[in-house]
């Protein structure tokens, strides 16, 4: 009995912590245990009184809120206020901007999978689908990437006019102002398809519908500003741009040196209250052709003309580029991309206060406006454009790997080629899943600031890997630019997405976890708000509740991490809310993600507790913690996609590869944090709690990679789903279209070639060399139709592998010549 009682206590503690029991239940259970010990041991009255006092007084303090606040929480709040680092207005606004969505479930350690699968999948309306199928398809057809990027260095006038006339610049503008009023998902689909064809067309459409004048006007503009500008923007009568980045304030955008001084001046013959603004901006997309400049600058009021503050803060204004003093029109040349991008500047440019977005009342509110709107644009634009490039790579390079043969074998069947093909397919499946789920969040009214950083960083990084792998497979064809090279420009321009809208190094090192740790944590932001509030009973009560809830949450996660590690998470129940239950092939992923979520929640708490404010300076550790959160989000999106698409068994290899790869890297990120944790004894404890039986994940198997690679080189419904939404030209003289035709012909010819090779092996047919198939026809091994099919296959294949060549001087009027291997296909075959 003694041993049972001794064993019962730790078991009870583990169970209470695992279930996150209330403080009252903890007290009741421990009191019952003490009573049982007293009865069994026959304690004296004195011993019982002493035990009651030793256990009862702390229990009384903890369970009576008024006592707990007076004895514990008030001194702790005073200490917390002293150690809490000061927070600037810009930091506070950034932390409070946006909403917390699914990432909050992952941060809490016990994700509710029914919530994930309860989010509706985004669907295009009939109007949106018709626009994608017609106007977007036509714009893709009109966009000759080689001519645009190499010859014209701009979109042709006809393409510019088509974009304006068909409402591409007003996708997000309500219909009452003449816009399309499309959903975020429709916006994403438009940009994705355009990005499979031509970056100049995609970016020209993307930027006006992302963070910029239209979105800021919709949320903050005055009625007069909306009525004047939104119809003009929707019809393409105004070309907008938004200027935020300065030479001295790139990643640290909140420290922009551009400034305005409130003063009186003359405007259109009248003396008005206005501001003199000085700015120097760069990297401004559409800037060189913009007619309407959105500008961010810091506004000062030294003469107190607007109130009692001198530094009003960051302000956003709209300025016609024709306004006197505005210098705009020159261009940058971002890695051979020819979408319009360039610097602009002005010195002491006077403008009325009415040009502030939202009017004079919104002076100094610019940073809040930008932070609140940034999430939506960043959740759509770069994820869509980079997924588009990945779709192009998967379909075209996959087809090329089946058409192109070496050593009498399609290169896609070599294991060395299958390895990058597997990465292309697996990464794209996950990228597209995350793109869709995140766009759906925007359509639900969310402004997920942390999620926007996750998808911006991880989709652009995966796109870089995908395009790099595609270039490796293409080899010499990939490195020679020309009309026949369908991937060269994408390869050149991938770093643009890595750099813009928050450089990836910054996003990973400072934003994802740095912002997520406070925004997504169930208690930290509440504690901070209470500490920063005035010293009132309400603030103390809020701090008390958050603090003791936080303690219970951390203890629970520690115990759950250990239990789930020891059991391999096999006992975790999974409810996805589906009538048929969870798919057997995905159950273990949900269980392991639950385990990782619990371990992450505990690790994040320990890191914040041990390092405090220093954690944001431990950028490598912060980045790895952000990686764990990000990879769990990407895995969640992948599982949701697999369920939403009907658990397609043919697509399962893509899902399995993507999740195994992501979970392996999440596990590596855990190890990276633990191995570099500054407190070594705590690092040892963390490893024992999180990975008590070792790390569960290894890299995806070669067998699985081969299955994924086969899906990319074989026409199928799976291949179509993987690359759905991309522009696939039917023209066999198009560098992508010809691969589609050649792939069909190649597969049809394989059985014929196999029959001829079998005859050669038997010795019944001895012909060799270029005239092989003609000889096979003459010998009666193949018929005329089969010879014609082989001949057509060879013509298409040689067009696929063709590499362009040019005159010595690459003259402006140079036309690429036909590559030697394609000059006399008929002679080679016949």
């Amino acid at each position: 009995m003694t041993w049972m009682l001794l064993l019962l206590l730790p078991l009870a503690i583990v169970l209470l912590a695992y279930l996150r029991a209330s403080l009252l239940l903890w007290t009741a259970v421990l009191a019952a245990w003490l009573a049982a010990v007293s009865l069994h041991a026959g304690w004296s009255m004195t011993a019982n009184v002493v035990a009651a006092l030793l256990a009862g007084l702390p229990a009384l303090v903890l369970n009576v809120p008024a006592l707990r606040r007076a004895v514990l929480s008030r001194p702790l709040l005073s200490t917390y206020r002293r150690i809490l680092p000061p927070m600037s207005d810009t930091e506070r606004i950034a932390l409070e901007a946006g909403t917390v969505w699914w990432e909050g479930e992952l941060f809490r350690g016990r994700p509710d999978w029914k919530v994930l699968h309860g989010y509706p999948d985004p669907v295009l309306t009939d109007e949106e689908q018709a626009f994608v199928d017609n106007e977007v398809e036509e714009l893709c057809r009109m966009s000759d990437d080689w001519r645009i990027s190499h010859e014209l260095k701009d979109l042709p006038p006809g393409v510019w006019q088509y974009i304006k006339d068909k409402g591409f610049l007003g996708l997000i503008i309500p219909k009452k102002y003449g816009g399309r009023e499309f959903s975020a998902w429709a916006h994403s689909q438009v940009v994705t398809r355009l990005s499979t064809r031509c970056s100049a067309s995609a970016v020209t459409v993307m930027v006006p519908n992302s963070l910029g004048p239209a979105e800021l006007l919709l949320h903050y503009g005055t009625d007069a500003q909306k009525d004047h500008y939104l119809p003009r923007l929707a019809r393409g009568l105004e070309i907008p741009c938004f200027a935020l980045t300065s030479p001295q304030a790139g990643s640290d955008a909140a420290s922009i040196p551009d400034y305005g001084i409130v003063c009186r001046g003359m405007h259109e013959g009248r003396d008005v209250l206005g501001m003199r603004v000085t700015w120097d901006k760069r990297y401004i997309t559409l800037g060189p052709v913009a007619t309407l400049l959105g500008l961010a600058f810091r506004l000062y009021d030294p003469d107190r003309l607007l109130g009692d503050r001198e530094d009003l803060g960051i302000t956003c204004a709209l300025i016609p580029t024709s306004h006197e003093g505005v210098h705009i029109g020159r261009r940058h040349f971002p890695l051979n991309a020819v979408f319009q991008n360039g610097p602009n500047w002005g010195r002491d440019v006077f403008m009325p206060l009415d040009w502030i977005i939202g009017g004079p009342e919104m002076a100094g509110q610019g940073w809040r406006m930008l932070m609140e709107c940034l999430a939506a644009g960043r959740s759509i634009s770069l994820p869509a454009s980079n997924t588009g490039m990945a779709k192009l790579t998967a379909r075209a390079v996959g087809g090329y790997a089946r058409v192109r043969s070496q050593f009498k074998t399609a290169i896609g069947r070599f294991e060395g080629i299958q390895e990058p093909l597997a990465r292309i397919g697996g990464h794209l499946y996950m990228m597209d899943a995350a793109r869709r789920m995140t766009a759906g969040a925007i359509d639900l009214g969310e402004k997920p600031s942390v999620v926007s950083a996750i998808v911006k960083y991880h989709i652009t990084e995966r796109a870089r890997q995908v395009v790099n792998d595609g270039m490796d497979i293409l080899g010499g064809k990939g490195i020679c630019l020309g009309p026949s090279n369908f991937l060269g420009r994408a390869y050149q321009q991938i770093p643009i997405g890595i750099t813009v809208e928050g450089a990836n190094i910054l996003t990973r090192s400072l934003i994802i976890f740095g912002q997520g740790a406070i925004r997504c944590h169930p208690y930290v932001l509440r504690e901070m708000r209470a500490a920063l509030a005035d010293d009132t009973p309400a603030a103390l009560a809020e701090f008390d509740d958050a603090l003791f809830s936080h303690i219970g949450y951390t203890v629970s996660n520690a115990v759950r991490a250990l239990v789930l590690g020891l059991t391999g998470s096999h006992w975790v129940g999974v409810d996805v809310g589906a009538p048929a239950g969870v798919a057997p092939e995905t159950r273990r992923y949900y269980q392991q993600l639950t385990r990782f979520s619990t371990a992450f929640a505990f690790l994040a708490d320990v890191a914040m507790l041990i390092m405090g404010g220093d954690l944001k300076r431990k950028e490598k550790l912060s980045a790895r913690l952000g990686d764990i959160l990000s990879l769990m989000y990407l895995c969640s999106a992948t599982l949701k996609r697999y369920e939403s698409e009907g658990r397609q068994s043919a697509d399962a290899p893509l899902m399995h590869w993507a999740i195994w790869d992501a979970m392996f890297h999440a596990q590596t990120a855990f190890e990276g944090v633990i191995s570099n944790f500054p407190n070594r004894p705590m690092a040892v404890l963390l490893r024992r709690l999180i990975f008590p039986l070792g790390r569960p994940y290894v890299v995806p198997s070669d067998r699985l990679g081969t299955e994924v690679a086969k899906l990319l080189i074989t026409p199928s419904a799976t291949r179509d789903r993987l690359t759905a939404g991309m522009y696939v030209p039917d023209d066999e003289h198009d560098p992508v279209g010809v691969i589609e035709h050649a792939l069909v012909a190649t597969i049809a010819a394989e059985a014929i070639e196999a029959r001829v090779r079998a005859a050669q092996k038997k010795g019944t047919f001895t012909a060799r060399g270029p005239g092989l198939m003609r000889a096979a026809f003459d010998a009666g091994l193949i018929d005329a139709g089969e010879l014609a099919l082989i001949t057509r296959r060879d013509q298409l294949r040689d067009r696929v592998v063709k590499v362009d060549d040019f005159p010595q001087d690459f003259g402006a009027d140079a036309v690429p010549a036909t590559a030697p291997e394609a000059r006399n296909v008929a002679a080679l075959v016949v």
Side-chain angles (χ1 to χ4, degrees):
M1 185 64 180
T2 301
W3 285 108
M4 287 180 61
L5 286 172
L6 291 175
L7 181 61
L8 191 60
L9 179 61
L11 288 177
I13 291 173
V14 168
L15 183 61
L16 289 168
Y18 187 89
L19 297 176
R20 292 189 185 173
S22 67
L23 186 57
L24 191 60
L25 184 57
W26 274 86
T27 304
V29 170
L30 293 176
W33 181 83
L34 276 174
V37 170
S38 173
L39 288 173
H40 174 69
W43 285 356
S44 66
M45 179 64 70
T46 302
N48 280 317
V49 169
V50 171
L53 289 173
L54 290 176
L57 286 176
L60 183 66
V61 170
L62 290 173
N63 281 280
V64 178
L67 280 175
R68 186 178 65 225
R69 292 167 192 166
V71 175
L72 298 174
S73 298
R74 183 172 294 283
L76 288 173
L77 177 56
S78 298
T79 302
Y80 191 82
R81 281 175 169 151
R82 286 197 301 272
I83 64 175
L84 185 66
M87 185 182 300
S88 67
D89 287 342
T90 53
E91 289 177 312
R92 178 183 54 78
I93 290 169
L95 283 175
E96 294 178 351
T99 58
V100 176
W101 193 53
W102 175 248
E103 73 280 18
E105 285 287 325
L106 295 171
F107 213 108
R108 287 170 173 82
R110 297 180 69 176
D112 185 344
W113 299 109
K114 288 186 294 184
V115 171
L116 174 70
H117 292 286
Y119 296 134
D121 293 311
V123 178
L124 297 180
T125 65
D126 291 343
E127 180 187 355
E128 292 169 342
Q129 187 66 63
F131 185 81
V132 170
D133 292 340
N134 296 288
E135 283 85 350
V136 178
E137 190 79 359
E138 177 62 14
L139 180 54
C140 286
R141 188 196 64 77
M142 296 171 67
S143 300
D144 183 330
D145 189 66
W146 174 255
R147 181 166 178 258
I148 289 168
S149 62
H150 182 74
E151 298 172 9
L152 301 178
K153 303 292 191 298
D154 193 6
L155 296 175
V159 172
W160 269 109
Q161 197 59 48
Y162 186 83
I163 287 173
K164 296 175 182 179
D165 291 344
K166 298 301 181 179
F168 280 91
L169 302 183
L171 298 181
I172 66 172
I173 295 175
K175 290 182 178 179
K176 70 177 183 178
Y177 296 111
R180 291 277 180 181
E181 200 172 344
F182 280 176
S183 63
W185 176 234
H187 178 195
S188 179
Q189 288 290 78
V190 169
V191 173
T192 298
R193 180 165 296 195
L194 292 174
S195 297
T196 66
R197 183 63 170 172
C198 175
S199 66
S201 299
V203 174
T204 299
V205 170
M206 178 177 77
V207 168
N209 293 291
S210 186
L211 177 63
E215 186 171 10
L216 293 172
L217 280 171
L218 283 171
H219 289 92
Y220 308 105
T222 65
D223 289 340
Q225 289 171 339
K226 292 177 183 179
D227 292 341
H228 176 73
Y229 281 120
L230 289 177
R232 296 178 60 80
L233 288 167
R235 296 197 302 271
L237 300 177
E238 301 280 5
I239 303 295
C241 70
F242 191 82
L244 173 61
T245 305
S246 301
Q248 304 304 322
S251 297
D252 187 12
S255 299
I256 53 176
D258 314 289
Y259 64 93
I261 304 296
V262 178
C263 60
R264 301 200 68 86
M266 297 299 296
H267 177 68
E268 296 180 346
R270 296 182 298 111
D271 180 68
V272 299
L273 187 60
M275 50 194 172
R276 291 198 175 276
V277 184
T278 295
W279 74 94
D280 184 11
K281 303 290 189 179
R282 64 181 180 186
Y283 310 145
I284 311 306
T285 301
L286 294 188
V289 295
T291 61
L292 184 63
L293 170 66
L295 183 66
F297 55 93
R298 184 170 289 275
L299 185 61
Y300 297 93
D301 185 13
D303 296 329
R304 306 298 199 274
L305 297 176
L306 296 180
D308 59 359
R309 285 194 305 138
E310 179 177 351
D311 185 355
L312 299 179
I314 294 174
T315 300
C316 296
L318 288 180
I319 309 166
T321 57
S322 59
H323 186 61
E324 184 179 359
V326 177
H327 296 274
I328 198 166
R330 292 177 61 84
R331 295 176 66 179
H332 300 309
F333 197 14
L335 294 177
N336 278 333
V338 297
F339 59 83
Q340 294 285 339
N341 183 275
N344 61 76
W345 65 95
R347 297 287 182 271
D348 290 328
V349 179
F350 183 79
M351 59 193 74
L353 289 179
D354 288 344
W355 287 8
I356 294 174
I357 297 176
E361 294 77 14
M362 293 300 288
Q365 299 299 309
W367 189 244
R368 177 172 65 86
M369 294 159 62
L370 295 174
M371 290 298 99
E372 289 177 350
C373 290
L374 181 63
R378 192 161 55 173
S379 296
I380 298 169
S381 56
L382 290 172
S385 61
N386 280 261
T387 300
M389 287 189 281
K391 285 177 182 282
L392 168 65
T393 305
R395 192 171 188 101
V397 173
Y400 178 88
R402 184 68 173 271
V403 172
R404 177 69 159 158
S405 63
Q406 295 287 276
F407 310 104
K408 299 180 181 179
T409 303
I411 65 172
R413 293 196 169 101
F414 290 111
E415 287 195 358
I417 300 296
Q418 288 176 345
E419 189 172 18
L421 281 175
R423 287 195 295 266
I424 292 171
H427 285 326
L428 174 56
Y429 188 84
M430 179 170 274
M431 292 164 64
D432 213 13
R435 174 183 74 96
R436 179 170 188 149
M437 184 166 125
T438 307
I442 303 302
D443 283 331
L444 292 174
E446 300 288 344
K447 294 182 179 180
S449 55
V450 176
V451 163
S452 71
I454 289 173
V455 293
K456 189 277 175 186
Y457 171 77
H458 284 275
I459 289 182
T460 57
E461 287 295 337
R462 276 166 172 69
R464 170 153 58 182
Q465 177 72 69
V466 164
V467 174
N468 281 348
D469 281 333
M471 288 291 288
D472 286 349
I473 294 170
L474 291 178
K477 178 178 175 65
I479 64 173
C480 293
L481 286 175
S484 301
N485 189 331
F486 59 84
L487 198 59
R489 293 299 189 192
Y491 175 75
Q492 287 181 316
Q493 294 163 25
I494 274 289
I496 298 173
I498 301 292
T499 301
V500 301
E501 291 195 25
N504 278 10
I505 291 175
L506 165 78
T507 300
R508 176 174 179 259
S509 300
L510 296 177
I511 295 178
I512 295 176
F513 182 76
Q515 189 170 357
I518 297 174
R519 290 291 288 132
C520 302
H521 196 287
Y523 304 112
V524 167
L525 188 56
R526 288 177 58 195
E527 292 165 347
M528 292 178 62
R529 284 172 173 164
L532 294 170
D534 294 335
D535 192 4
T536 63
L540 177 60
E542 176 71 4
F543 180 79
D544 170 80
D545 182 69
L547 176 64
F548 283 92
S549 297
H550 190 167
I551 293 170
Y553 163 86
T554 304
V555 171
S556 175
N557 283 329
V559 171
R560 283 174 55 83
L562 177 61
V563 171
L564 294 178
L566 289 172
T567 61
S569 67
H570 284 281
W571 295 349
V572 174
V574 178
D575 184 0
V576 298
V582 66
E585 63 270 29
T586 60
R587 173 177 291 276
R588 288 294 295 140
Y589 297 139
Y590 288 104
Q591 292 176 325
Q592 291 283 39
L593 277 170
T594 299
R595 174 189 173 182
F596 275 25
S597 174
T598 300
F600 169 74
F602 174 63
L603 182 60
D605 262 334
V606 172
M608 288 188 284
L609 176 65
I610 298 294
M611 287 177 271
D614 289 337
L615 180 57
K616 69 179 181 181
R617 288 181 285 276
K618 298 286 186 181
E619 295 176 19
K620 297 174 186 177
L621 292 181
S622 180
R624 295 181 185 115
L625 287 165
D627 287 344
I628 300 169
L629 177 62
S630 300
L631 292 165
M632 290 192 296
Y633 179 82
L634 297 180
C635 287
S636 301
T638 302
L639 289 169
K640 179 170 173 59
R641 173 181 183 170
Y642 186 71
E643 288 287 334
S644 298
E645 293 183 347
R647 303 178 181 179
Q648 300 283 346
S649 59
D651 299 1
L654 295 164
M655 178 271 295
H656 286 303
W657 192 99
I659 293 182
W660 266 95
D661 178 73
M663 293 295 280
F664 173 74
H665 283 94
Q667 175 182 273
T668 302
F670 271 114
E671 180 58 38
V673 175
I674 295 169
S675 297
N676 293 280
F677 208 79
N679 185 310
R680 298 314 302 157
M682 180 56 71
V684 172
L685 177 62
L686 288 170
R687 182 173 282 108
R688 294 294 176 266
L689 284 172
I690 294 174
F691 295 121
L693 301 179
R695 297 187 291 276
Y697 277 94
V698 295
V699 295
S701 69
D702 290 343
R703 176 194 56 78
L704 181 59
T706 297
E707 292 180 31
V708 173
K710 288 179 180 178
L711 294 174
L712 266 65
I713 67 174
T714 307
S716 66
T718 292
R719 184 169 179 263
D720 290 341
R721 279 190 293 270
L722 184 65
T723 59
M726 73 169 284
Y727 176 69
V728 183
D730 190 48
D731 181 5
E732 64 181 51
H733 295 282
D734 181 276
V736 174
V738 72
I739 292 176
E740 293 292 304
H741 289 277
L743 178 60
V744 173
T746 296
I747 292 172
E750 286 175 347
I752 302 170
E753 291 182 316
R755 193 164 73 242
V756 173
R757 284 196 297 271
Q760 289 175 318
K761 287 183 179 179
K762 289 180 180 179
T764 59
F765 179 66
T766 58
R768 297 286 188 275
L772 172 65
M773 290 302 168
R774 167 60 70 176
F777 171 73
D778 293 339
L781 285 174
I782 62 174
D783 60 27
E786 291 172 325
L787 176 61
L789 192 154
I790 291 289
T791 302
R792 173 166 169 75
R793 187 281 311 272
D794 288 348
Q795 291 171 335
L796 292 170
R797 176 201 61 200
D798 291 336
R799 210 176 291 156
V800 166
V801 302
K802 181 180 72 173
V803 175
D804 303 298
D805 56 74
F806 299 86
Q808 290 280 9
D809 60 357
F810 290 103
D813 59 345
V815 176
T818 305
E821 65 266 29
R823 284 173 184 153
N824 196 358
V825 174
L828 290 174
V829 174
V830 179

